[in-house]
């Protein structure tokens, strides 16, 4: 059984989680082109390597961020949104 | 004998309990509940009680913990922790922004009605009530063999030394999303389960099937209340 660690609820069977897509920068639906909006909603980069993704713990409806290595199929880390944005803020500052 | 169909509110498990010979009674607010079963005089090793007819209420939103504390509910922001209240009700803190309140076993719902009525969107408290009596079925499972039974249904370790009293697990039980909390009655381990009411009969069948190995089965709310009274 594969285990994922929900940052709020702890280690759980992977069957309790749903994939939510790659983390992408927001685009403004008012000013962007239709192509950009389509890319944002539906198209994934499908990187072979380390990706940062949205995941959902379905019993609690908890959305969080996970970093995975798609080549080795390892879950490297998971974190709450607050922790992710704090880290991203620290990196971009 | 009370006819459950005489009441607008019935348990989502009403048909299943009826088929097992439940005797029905009604709470003060006109809700039919399974008061006793034929075998209640000798409690089974795992006693399952349908508490679905009892009142319950949720609150959600970033201001929920502060709003509950203002209203006199005893709790803090520790997620996945159950806080027993002085009146016998339970406050389950599911997340820093969500609580679930379960009425005392006697079914008195005035306190929850007051909480519901005290909320006003114009107050801007950043919390809002959730009608959990309609969304979730509520079961209580009591008995020393209960953790062994859960091992058949759920991946979380429910052994008593691993899952302490007043813990909460929000996880998958019998392939359904469930909220599970342990609130012992005296020396008897008791687990409360809340699951989607629309699939409650399926869930009930799974629990009864799992408990059968340990001689478990349904008991009426009356027998469960006696367990609580010691």
């Amino acid at each position: 059984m594969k285990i994922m660690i929900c940052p709020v609820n702890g280690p759980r069977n992977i069957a309790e989680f749903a994939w939510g897509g790659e983390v992408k920068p927001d685009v403004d639906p008012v000013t962007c082109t239709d192509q950009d909006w389509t890319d944002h909603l539906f198209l994934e980069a499908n990187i072979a390597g380390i990706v940062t993704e949205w995941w959902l713990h379905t019993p609690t409806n908890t959305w969080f961020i996970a970093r995975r290595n798609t080549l080795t199929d390892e879950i490297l880390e998971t974190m709450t949104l607050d922790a992710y944005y704090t880290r991203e803020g620290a990196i971009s500052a | 004998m009370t006819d459950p169909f005489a009441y607008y509110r019935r348990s989502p498990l009403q048909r299943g309990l009826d088929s097992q010979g439940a005797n029905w009674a009604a709470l003060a607010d006109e809700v039919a509940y399974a008061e006793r079963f034929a075998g209640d005089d000798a409690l089974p090793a795992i006693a399952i009680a349908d508490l679905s007819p009892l009142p319950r209420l949720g609150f959600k939103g970033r201001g929920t913990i502060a709003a509950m504390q203002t209203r006199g509910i005893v709790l803090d922001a520790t997620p996945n922790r159950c806080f027993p209240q002085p009146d016998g009700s339970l406050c389950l803190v599911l997340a820093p922004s969500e609580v679930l309140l379960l009425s005392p076993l006697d079914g008195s719902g005035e306190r929850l009605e007051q909480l519901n009525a005290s909320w006003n969107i114009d107050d801007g408290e950043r919390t809002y009530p959730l009608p959990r009596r309609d969304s979730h079925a509520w079961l209580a499972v009591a008995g020393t063999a209960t953790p062994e039974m859960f091992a058949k249904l759920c991946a979380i370790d429910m052994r008593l030394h691993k899952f302490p009293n007043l813990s909460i697990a929000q996880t998958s039980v019998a392939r359904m999303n469930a909220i599970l909390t342990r609130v012992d009655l005296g020396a008897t381990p008791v687990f409360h389960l809340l699951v989607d009411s629309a699939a409650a009969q399926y869930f009930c069948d799974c629990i009864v099937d799992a408990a059968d190995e340990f001689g478990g089965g349904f008991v009426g709310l009356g027998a469960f209340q006696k367990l609580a009274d010691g």
Side-chain angles (χ1 to χ4, degrees):
Chain A
M1 182 193 298
K2 196 168 191 176
I3 304 289
M4 191 174 214
I5 297 172
C6 169
V8 176
N9 294 282
R12 292 289 194 272
N13 187 337
I14 195 74
E16 293 188 17
F17 295 90
W19 182 74
E22 294 163 2
V23 176
K24 304 175 204 173
D26 287 339
V27 295
D28 184 346
V30 176
T31 57
C32 74
T33 64
D34 287 353
Q35 182 62 49
D36 288 343
W37 187 237
T38 305
D39 281 357
H40 179 70
L41 289 182
F42 303 114
L43 300 181
E44 305 291 331
N46 281 329
I47 295 164
I50 293 173
V51 293
T52 306
E53 297 170 326
W54 289 95
W55 281 80
L56 173 68
H57 182 236
T58 53
T60 55
N61 216 27
T62 304
W63 283 100
F64 60 93
I65 305 293
R67 283 178 67 246
R68 293 193 307 128
N69 187 333
T70 56
L71 287 174
T72 58
D73 199 21
E74 285 174 296
I75 299 162
L76 303 174
E77 61 175 339
T78 57
M79 66 202 95
T80 62
L81 292 186
D82 286 348
Y84 175 73
Y85 287 128
T86 302
R87 182 194 289 188
E88 287 300 293
I91 290 169
S92 60
Chain B
M1 190 178 109
T2 303
D3 175 12
F5 284 101
Y7 298 92
Y8 285 121
R9 269 187 187 276
R10 296 184 295 274
S11 166
L13 298 172
Q14 185 258 325
R15 284 185 173 78
L17 299 177
D18 235 3
S19 70
Q20 298 194 30
N23 285 296
W24 298 90
L27 292 172
D29 62 346
E30 303 282 300
V31 190
Y33 70 92
E35 199 269 334
R36 63 172 278 115
F37 290 79
D40 278 3
D41 294 332
L43 274 184
I46 292 179
I48 307 166
D50 175 30
L51 307 187
S52 302
L54 304 187
R56 53 198 170 278
L57 179 67
F59 279 91
K60 195 168 184 176
R62 281 189 179 261
T64 296
I65 301 294
M68 293 300 105
Q69 286 168 336
T70 304
R71 287 163 173 77
I73 302 290
V74 180
L75 81 170
D76 62 43
T78 313
N80 289 322
R81 179 100 189 133
C82 176
F83 294 86
Q85 304 298 305
D87 66 350
S89 61
L90 299 171
C91 176
L92 280 62
V93 178
L94 303 178
S97 57
E98 184 174 3
V99 299
L100 176 54
L101 299 150
L102 305 176
S103 77
L105 292 178
D106 64 9
S108 53
E110 295 83 8
R111 182 86 182 93
L112 297 184
E113 276 173 31
Q114 284 168 7
L115 285 170
N116 198 26
S118 71
W119 179 77
N120 185 344
I121 193 168
D122 294 327
D123 294 343
E125 281 191 294
R126 302 199 74 184
T127 188
Y128 56 94
L130 303 162
R132 292 301 192 204
R133 202 177 190 179
D134 301 311
S135 64
H136 284 63
W138 175 12
L139 294 168
V141 188
T144 50
T146 308
E148 282 179 78
M149 184 202 76
F150 276 122
K152 295 163 64 177
L153 298 172
C154 166
I156 303 296
D157 191 346
M158 293 289 163
R159 285 177 295 170
L160 302 182
H161 64 287
K162 292 282 187 183
F163 193 75
N165 196 25
L166 306 179
S167 301
I168 295 176
Q170 301 175 76
T171 185
S172 175
V173 180
R175 303 223 167 208
M176 271 182 71
N177 292 340
I179 300 165
L180 220 157
T181 185
R182 177 181 163 197
V183 185
D184 291 355
L185 290 173
T188 309
V190 176
F191 292 82
H192 292 263
L193 273 158
L194 292 122
V195 294
D196 183 0
S197 59
Q201 189 57 57
Y202 155 78
F203 189 82
C204 172
D205 291 346
C206 292
I207 284 267
V208 169
D209 181 65
D212 185 52
E213 177 187 334
F214 305 96
F218 266 101
V219 298
L221 184 56
F224 196 76
Q225 285 165 338
K226 278 185 201 152
L227 188 71
D229 297 338

